[in-house]
Amino acid sequence: MRLGVLDVGSNTVHLLVVDAHPGARPLPAHSHKAELRLAELLDDEGAISEAGIDRLVAVVQEALEAAEDKGVEEVLPFATSAVREAANADTVLARVQKETGITLPVLTGDEEARLTFLAARRWFGWSAGKLLVLDIGGGSLEIGFGMDEEPDAAASLPLGAGRLTKAWLPGDSPDPTDVRALRRHVRAQIARIVGDFARHGTPDHTVGTSKTFKQLARIAGAARSTDGLYVQRALTRRSLEEWVPKLAGMTSAERARLPGVSEGRASQLVAGALVAEAAMDLFGVEELEICPWALREGVILRRLDHLPTP
């Protein structure tokens, strides 16, 4: 069957269309996305502006039309931290439902972490052993650890690249004092939960998902996306530590000229790199492997698990 997963994230609204069947690998058929940066559209009271809601409704409608055009049988919609934590979340969800007909479930941070972990486990398989999965989104950082498809430990922290950029790094080229303050904040937040994971043992394999990790790996020399999904891509802590001060000293335009960095994400890359560096350091990770699958694929896989086998 043809499924469409509609991800209302903190940075983008992304419709991923796949051809999927129980027991088979989902095959991507179409991708439709619009950059909204909802995490950066919150006002001083933490609410999404009227203009932001209008734009969200329009983009969701466009995605639903694209799903119809591509013959999607079922749309699996969900929203993440930007909507979840908005002061006017109920108003936002009501507007989307009224004007598009779609009821938009809001995932908890724990659900995000667990579904992302499921996607990574299915991608790497049982031979990867105990997995530590790190995912940096626009609004939050998700962490999962375990041996099975359900992680033994999962956490979600408000350390998304978009959220932190807005709150801590104003201006185009961040002030070194602001970068240092954000570094302290990020490390203090992550350090609080490291012990919850450490009691479950040492990971056999550490995985990074999300656009932030993919961009950082590409900057550090990993293969291009055009080289295909199955090329192994990794990011070392050493290379990341070398790049963090370089990125902090650049303007957004200069970062956008780096390999693999999109113009829309360039402004968030310093905050994302600080989170990645802190997580790898505090969890004792020297190298992680980039996983092509993440939350959207986890949602699809969970849905397939509940379909009857033909």
Side-chain angles (χ1 to χ4, degrees), residues 4 82 126 136 187 214 228 284 292 302:
W126 300 115
I136 303 170
R187 286 172 177 262
K214 291 176 183 177
R302 179 66 76 224

Side-chain angles (χ1 to χ4, degrees), residues 12-306:
T12 61
V13 174
H14 188 172
L15 171 73
L16 176 63
V17 177
V18 299
D19 291 319
H21 305 279
R25 175 174 59 93
L27 296 174
H30 179 69
S31 178
H32 175 93
K33 67 176 68 174
E35 194 164 274
L36 279 186
R37 298 193 191 181
L38 285 176
E40 299 179 23
L41 293 178
L42 302 179
D43 61 24
D44 293 339
E45 283 72 44
I48 298 174
S49 67
E50 282 298 317
I53 299 174
D54 291 342
R55 178 63 179 144
L56 172 60
V57 168
V59 168
V60 168
Q61 188 60 56
E62 290 170 7
L64 293 175
E65 291 170 1
E68 181 180 330
D69 289 344
K70 296 301 177 182
V72 169
E73 297 177 50
E74 182 181 354
V75 175
L76 308 173
F78 66 89
T80 57
S81 64
V83 174
R84 180 171 68 237
E85 297 169 16
N88 59 339
D90 290 344
T91 299
V92 173
L93 296 172
R95 279 278 309 277
V96 171
Q97 199 284 327
K98 178 180 179 181
E99 299 186 32
T100 70
I102 281 287
T103 298
L104 193 60
V106 179
L107 298 180
T108 66
D110 183 76
E111 287 171 331
E112 283 193 59
R114 290 179 179 277
L115 287 166
T116 302
F117 185 89
L118 170 64
R121 168 59 73 195
R122 293 280 178 92
W123 181 267
F124 288 105
W126 300 115
S127 64
K130 291 183 180 179
L131 278 182
L132 173 64
V133 180
L134 306 172
D135 179 279
I136 303 170
S140 57
L141 163 69
E142 272 68 52
I143 307 166
F145 178 88
M147 185 70 182
D148 300 319
E149 292 196 337
E150 279 290 326
D152 297 319
S156 178
L157 299 174
L159 299 177
R163 176 201 299 270
L164 295 178
T165 299
K166 180 184 178 183
W168 292 83
L169 301 179
D172 187 34
S173 184
D175 185 284
T177 302
D178 293 334
V179 172
R180 188 72 180 180
L182 176 55
R183 184 180 188 274
R184 288 194 298 268
H185 170 73
V186 167
R187 286 172 177 262
Q189 292 281 313
I190 296 175
R192 292 175 184 171
I193 54 94
V194 168
D196 298 335
F197 290 82
R199 65 171 56 98
H200 294 285
T202 302
D204 298 306
H205 197 65
T206 301
V207 172
T209 73
S210 74
K211 193 72 170 180
T212 294
F213 274 118
K214 291 176 183 177
Q215 290 183 338
L216 292 171
R218 179 71 184 101
I219 291 170
R224 300 169 299 180
S225 59
T226 52
D227 291 337
L229 286 179
Y230 301 106
V231 176
Q232 186 178 30
R233 296 170 176 86
L235 175 66
T236 66
R237 187 170 68 182
R238 180 177 178 180
S239 63
L240 183 55
E241 289 171 345
E242 292 174 353
W243 269 103
V244 167
K246 295 178 185 178
L247 293 171
M250 296 179 180
T251 64
S252 293
E254 290 170 334
R255 286 182 226 119
R257 289 195 287 270
L258 294 172
V261 178
S262 63
E263 184 177 351
R265 300 292 184 104
S267 63
Q268 302 180 5
L269 196 55
V270 174
L274 288 170
V275 175
E277 180 189 35
M280 293 181 73
D281 186 11
L282 292 169
F283 280 98
V285 176
E286 295 300 327
E287 181 177 275
L288 58 77
E289 187 171 356
I290 304 302
C291 180
W293 282 5
L295 177 58
R296 284 184 290 274
E297 287 77 12
V299 170
I300 292 168
L301 292 167
R302 179 66 76 224
R303 178 69 183 95
L304 291 177
D305 288 346
H306 289 87

